[in-house]
Amino acid sequence: MLFGFIYFNYELFAISFFVGFGFLFIVGILPVIVLHIQYLLINWNATFLIDTEKEMASYESAKKNISFSFNDIASVTNYSSYGRNAGWYSFAAYRYCKITLVNNTEIIITCLMINDIENTLEALFKIKCKKELQFICFINAKY
């Protein structure tokens, strides 16, 4: 009788452990892996240079080579997570900015490229960023 009880609890523990780990993996770990890979691929081997004296910027990657003046910027939109400053979920720190030029060209700059992206771009471009909040900050762009 005692061995049957121990065996039953072991199975219950194993099932609970795998269900709990599966839930934590799907909710906490998988989004971070997907976000990091997506952000990494967007700005892979890219260079973003900003010359504040000449008010010019350039973005060079394998897909795009763009030089533009600060006057050519139509909007800068900052996409971030709802709890980005709270730290209560693992993907809260991921955010990106979409720079839209007057000719509808879009440039995506991720937090992997620029630390404190929302404040840095506002200060360098001297414009106010639009703010968009998402639960998980996946990049929804035709890039």
Side-chain angles (χ1 to χ4, degrees):
M1 180 74 174
L2 180 63
F3 292 113
F5 182 71
I6 292 172
Y7 179 72
F8 176 75
N9 284 338
Y10 174 75
E11 282 185 356
L12 185 62
F13 172 76
I15 291 169
S16 300
F17 176 77
F18 286 117
V19 168
F21 181 76
F23 177 76
L24 288 176
F25 181 79
I26 290 170
V27 172
I29 299 171
L30 189 61
V32 173
I33 293 169
V34 171
L35 278 172
H36 197 81
I37 290 171
Q38 185 185 37
Y39 283 28
L40 186 64
L41 291 176
I42 289 289
N43 290 144
W44 186 259
N45 287 333
T47 305
F48 186 52
L49 301 173
I50 300 173
D51 187 348
T52 55
E53 290 179 11
K54 295 180 183 176
E55 293 190 342
M56 294 289 295
S58 65
Y59 179 83
E60 296 177 8
S61 70
K63 297 178 183 178
K64 292 184 179 185
N65 289 327
I66 301 167
S67 292
F68 58 93
S69 167
F70 289 4
N71 296 328
D72 294 334
I73 299 173
S75 67
V76 178
T77 307
N78 176 33
Y79 295 89
S80 61
S81 299
Y82 287 112
R84 67 184 166 98
N85 293 328
W88 49 272
Y89 56 92
S90 57
F91 45 85
Y94 285 87
R95 58 201 176 279
Y96 69 95
C97 283
K98 184 189 316 181
I99 302 169
T100 307
L101 303 179
V102 291
N103 63 0
N104 290 328
T105 302
E106 293 180 346
I107 302 168
I108 304 291
I109 305 296
T110 67
C111 62
L112 299 181
M113 186 175 245
I114 298 176
N115 192 21
D116 192 23
I117 190 169
E118 60 274 358
N119 297 323
T120 303
L121 290 181
E122 277 187 354
L124 291 175
F125 289 144
K126 297 181 178 106
I127 60 172
K128 189 73 175 160
C129 292
K130 297 177 191 173
K131 301 204 184 306
E132 297 283 331
L133 295 175
Q134 301 173 348
F135 181 66
I136 301 176
C137 226
F138 292 118
I139 297 175
N140 300 322
K142 300 171 193 165
Y143 203 77

